[in-house]
Amino acid sequence: MRNLYISGYRTFELGVFKDDDPKVAVIKKCLKQEISQFIEEGIEWVLTSAQFGTEQWAIEVVDELKKEYPTIKVGIIFPFLEFGSNWNEKNQSKLMELKKIADYVEATSHKTYQDPSQLKNHQAFLLDHCQAALLVYDPEFEGKTKFVYQAIKKKQETTEFEMRLIDVDQLQNSSIEEEY
């Protein structure tokens, strides 16, 4: 079995505050292209944490791709119990919808948030259970994804682990294509 971990910029890091922001369509288009490629190469599961932004959009994209690739599955692995419970009502509602889309929902820690070690353990769990990662991330424009990126680079020093990036250039090129 091959699993793909997807992460990337959060909505606020991209300046996206509405679902109909044109940036979302561009990011989803790039995600769809890359995820389709991974599926063609044998990925069976897409795993993510359902954070705002890239991770939530990836779940929606995989759901769309199920029409073309009915065997692909998506799993949401939260870092701790009650993840998102402190979000506003609109965001909690969206998270509930995403959980319905998912084929599997679990948390790496079966306790509510205690401390940052849960986040580090969560990241290690996902990287240990995946063979590849797709990040919407550009090392020249750091954000929270920097920590995942660095962890993958470290993992690549000792084991084979594929990482693909959707960087600013790819997003820009895709955006230009959208205009034509």
Side-chain angles (χ1 to χ4, degrees), residues 24-95:
V24 176
V26 171
I27 292 167
K28 282 185 165 185
K29 177 184 174 188
C30 291
L31 283 169
K32 187 174 187 176
Q33 290 169 340
E34 293 293 336
I35 295 168
S36 295
Q37 180 73 37
F38 271 111
I39 294 170
E40 296 284 338
E41 294 169 9
I43 288 293
E44 298 169 16
W45 279 87
V46 170
L47 302 179
T48 189
S49 310
Q51 290 278 2
F52 292 121
T54 301
E55 296 185 12
Q56 291 190 356
W57 300 324
I59 295 166
E60 294 168 349
V61 167
V62 172
D63 189 48
E64 291 171 22
L65 285 171
K66 284 183 178 191
K67 294 174 187 82
E68 190 175 344
Y69 304 99
T71 60
I72 190 66
K73 299 202 179 329
V74 64
I76 297 174
I77 312 292
F78 295 120
F80 49 84
L81 282 183
E82 298 181 19
F83 177 84
S85 63
N86 62 339
W87 294 357
N88 69 37
E89 191 176 321
K90 178 183 171 222
N91 291 335
Q92 283 188 34
S93 176
K94 181 164 184 177
L95 187 60

